[in-house]
Amino acid sequence: MINIVQFLEKNPSILELLKEKKVSLLGVTELETRSILESYEKDLSTKSMLWA
């Protein structure tokens, strides 16, 4: 799972496609995919709160 997160960090365009459901992650369940996306959303909201 950490390899997937590292890959998405290096390839933010893939993350956007994943959010839009235009791509999927092979070998990753729907629940795992949602968890990954939720973690990025939480990370972004935390960062925006720090800069506010």
Side-chain angles (χ1 to χ4, degrees), residues 6-39:
Q6 289 172 339
F7 175 80
L8 293 173
E9 285 286 325
K10 292 178 184 177
N11 301 284
S13 61
I14 302 296
L15 179 62
E16 288 302 316
L17 292 172
L18 188 61
K19 288 179 184 178
E20 296 169 3
K21 297 188 185 241
K22 293 183 177 179
V23 297
S24 61
L25 301 172
L26 295 176
V28 179
T29 66
E30 181 65 28
L31 179 61
E32 291 169 329
T33 301
R34 279 186 278 159
S35 296
I36 291 169
L37 291 174
E38 286 174 11
S39 70

Side-chain angles (χ1 to χ4, degrees), residues 37-51:
L37 291 174
E38 286 174 11
S39 70
Y40 275 99
E41 289 173 10
K42 288 179 185 175
D43 185 47
L44 289 176
S45 67
T46 301
K47 286 179 183 177
S48 67
M49 288 172 42
L50 292 173
W51 289 104

